[in-house]
Amino acid sequence: MPQSPLHAGLPAGQPHPEWLALAAQGLFLEAAAVSRTTSNMPEICSRVCPQERLCEGACILNCRTEPVAIGAVERFINEFAFHHSTVEIARAPANGRRVAVIGSGPGGLSAADELAQLGYAVTVFESQLVPGGLLVNGIPAFKLEKSIVERRIELLTKAGVEFRLGVNVGRDLGLADLRREFDAVFLAVGAQQAKPLDVPGAGLAGVLPSLPFLIQKNVPAMAGEFPPIEVAGRRIVVLGGGDTAMDCLRTALRGGAQSAICLYRRDLANMPGSRKEYYNALEEGAQFEFLTNPLELVDNGQGAVSAVRCVRMALGEPDASGRRKPRPVAGSEFTVPADLILVAYGFDPVPFPAGSEFAQIATTEWGSLFVDNDQMTSVPGVFSGGDAVRGPSLVVHAVRDARKAVAGIHRFLSRPPVQTAAAQFRG
Ligand SMILES: Cc1cc2nc3c(=O)[nH]c(=O)nc-3n(C[C@H](O)[C@H](O)[C@H](O)COP(=O)(O)OP(=O)(O)OC[C@H]3O[C@@H](n4cnc5c(N)ncnc54)[C@H](O)[C@@H]3O)c2cc1C
């Protein structure tokens, strides 16, 4: 059957046209059931996906009028299904095999769901005491209420998925330990190591990475890493132009900041963050200085930041990635006063400790894990997906990778003779 433009715009091959047709007939439970066939968390994706770049961007009505509000419909039908208690994880009879999932973000939760449905015994290891990954500790509650994630985790627990929290795999538990207990491993450890700010003054008090700030404001139970970060009445400057930067701006303004200014080195057209998030931030009072780069953070004389010295940028020729490279404009320096700087320059995967068997997995020069077409890493039986493989990406991509990896794990463990594949993993 030829693909519709909408099908072509969907990253996980979702049957959106099919469930939209059911929803249009008022068959909401049936529509939700169809939407769940390709997503392990449609109630979450419908809230956080940048639909304007994905499904709504591919809607054929776009050339004529507004696109169908696909995200809003998906959210409604799935909440309707939860309200009518029709959402559950159908578990196949136990197949006698065990899989360890490392990380409880959207990648780990989706893999656990898929594996449980195939009859695997699943244990999710999570280094934090609160499960959910960036769904809980990165994405602010005003975009995704924490109760929505908790409800998903409860469903998994009911389906028999075990959660072992506060266990840092690689440090507290090695691959050899996992091999003794499990037949395969899915690494969904994300990419949460902040890219550094490399200008004079970066070490001043009042200069913070974005994620600990968001975690403190989002999850009081995890706020221990930094002393309370005060934003009320203060002038906040956010460096970077992605979704994390937009979340910092809005979180600061909602916390009573006097001002929240985003400094981004390219222009709006080249900003990586979702347009929806940009307009939301603008509406809430955020200010934007495009084509602006920090040169230095200014000391207030007592070791704390008081301003950012900036330079204007101009866009030059496209670089290897196709994006126009920004270059400084001579003589355009200016200063932006600031009491708190939040650095949102993106993330890299956190490397496993040197000496850990996990550190032997082949990686790219940015530290993301190499995988084959089945999402298997260079170590047989160890699979991966989501941000750990792609670098910072989207929830829907982590879900898609997890589903692909589980299909790969199932093939790996079902290959005849079964003992050979398992023996390969057990080494
Ligand atoms: C501030 C912010 C806002 C975002 N907003 C959006 C948005 O609006 N829409 C969207 O689609 N995407 C958004 N994203 C991106 C999205 O959250 C990620 O792409 C997605 O969460 C990646 O899922 P994951 O499962 O690969 O990793 P994560 O969600 O990062 O989960 C990884 C988990 O693994 C755990 N872990 C790591 N190492 C270990 C270890 N050694 N042992 C045990 N556990 C470990 C971590 O604690 C974490 O819980 C945002 C990201 C950020 C930072």
Side-chain angles (χ1 to χ4, degrees):
M1 202 169 71
Q3 260 206 337
S4 70
L6 176 52
H7 278 118
L10 296 167
Q14 299 99 318
H16 284 12
E18 290 79 352
W19 62 250
L20 279 167
L22 289 166
Q25 295 167 56
L27 299 170
F28 303 136
L29 294 179
E30 292 80 352
V34 173
S35 86
R36 290 197 301 274
T37 58
T38 53
S39 176
N40 303 81
M41 45 183 71
E43 78 285 6
I44 291 176
C45 289
S46 57
R47 286 171 162 85
V48 300
C49 275
Q51 282 99 4
E52 82 279 5
R53 273 197 273 150
L54 303 171
C55 55
E56 291 178 15
C59 175
I60 51 164
L61 289 183
N62 261 326
C63 326
R64 301 169 224 169
T65 174
E66 294 283 305
V68 174
I70 298 172
V73 179
E74 188 179 31
R75 177 177 169 167
F76 165 73
I77 55 173
N78 281 288
E79 284 309 320
F80 189 83
F82 270 106
H83 187 72
H84 287 82
S85 307
T86 62
V87 184
E88 58 181 27
I89 296 171
R91 248 203 107 134
N95 65 17
R97 299 191 161 268
R98 302 180 58 80
V99 179
V101 171
I102 320 303
S104 65
L109 296 180
S110 302
D113 180 353
E114 288 292 293
L115 288 161
Q117 290 186 45
L118 290 168
Y120 290 95
V122 187
T123 302
V124 178
F125 293 89
E126 168 56 57
S127 57
Q128 302 293 336
L129 295 174
V130 180
L134 288 174
L135 296 178
V136 167
N137 60 34
I139 302 177
F142 53 78
K143 276 163 68 178
L144 175 63
E145 307 89 312
K146 305 304 156 197
S147 58
I148 304 292
V149 184
E150 283 159 15
R151 183 174 65 183
R152 224 344 107 186
I153 291 168
E154 256 168 50
L155 274 181
L156 290 169
T157 312
K158 258 200 227 155
V161 173
E162 182 195 0
F163 284 83
R164 293 193 203 162
L165 304 176
V167 183
N168 187 309
V169 171
R171 191 193 66 194
D172 306 335
L173 209 59
L175 185 54
D177 303 312
L178 294 177
R179 277 192 169 116
R180 275 192 288 278
E181 211 185 324
F182 299 95
D183 299 293
V185 173
F186 178 61
L187 290 175
V189 291
Q192 297 195 12
Q193 179 159 281
K195 286 188 195 290
L197 168 66
D198 189 17
V199 297
L204 290 171
V207 183
L208 293 175
S210 53
L211 203 50
F213 167 72
L214 290 173
I215 292 175
Q216 187 175 110
K217 301 297 171 198
N218 262 323
V219 201
M222 288 170 67
E225 194 184 341
F226 281 89
I229 304 165
E230 200 45 71
V231 288
R234 303 180 81 198
R235 297 161 303 179
I236 316 298
V237 167
V238 177
L239 306 178
D243 282 342
T244 306
M246 304 305 125
D247 290 343
C248 287
L249 291 163
R250 296 175 70 192
T251 302
L253 288 165
R254 284 162 184 248
Q258 185 190 117
S259 60
I261 304 179
C262 176
L263 308 184
Y264 178 55
R265 65 192 181 134
R266 289 187 164 95
D267 57 5
L268 174 60
N270 287 284
M271 193 168 77
S274 134
R275 285 300 164 273
K276 183 173 76 180
E277 295 308 325
Y278 163 70
Y279 287 115
N280 283 338
L282 210 55
E283 198 177 297
E284 292 186 20
Q287 300 161 53
F288 287 81
E289 290 284 355
F290 291 109
L291 293 165
T292 299
N293 219 19
L295 288 174
E296 179 191 3
L297 304 187
V298 182
D299 192 332
N300 69 355
Q302 292 168 338
V305 69
S306 62
V308 191
R309 209 162 66 77
C310 306
V311 65
R312 291 286 182 206
M313 308 294 280
L315 293 180
E317 291 307 304
D319 61 16
S321 72
R323 290 209 300 169
R324 291 175 63 195
K325 209 172 157 53
R327 50 178 176 72
V329 177
S332 66
E333 291 82 1
F334 66 106
T335 299
V336 177
D339 304 309
L340 177 67
I341 310 282
L342 297 170
V343 184
Y345 278 167
F347 303 92
D348 290 317
V350 181
F352 284 104
S356 141
E357 276 180 279
F358 288 107
Q360 294 161 15
I361 296 175
T363 59
T364 66
E365 61 183 292
W366 299 279
S368 46
L369 305 180
F370 268 126
V371 290
D372 66 12
N373 281 338
D374 273 344
Q375 300 287 135
M376 188 158 81
T377 68
S378 57
V379 174
V382 179
F383 294 72
S384 187
D387 285 6
V389 168
R390 296 169 176 269
S393 185
L394 292 175
V395 171
V396 67
H397 290 145
V399 173
R400 184 177 82 163
D401 287 356
R403 296 173 68 88
K404 203 170 152 213
V406 169
I409 291 171
H410 196 48
R411 266 192 295 277
F412 177 78
L413 293 176
S414 311
R415 235 183 264 156
V418 171
Q419 292 80 353
T420 311
Q424 224 183 339
F425 171 66
R426 288 179 190 280

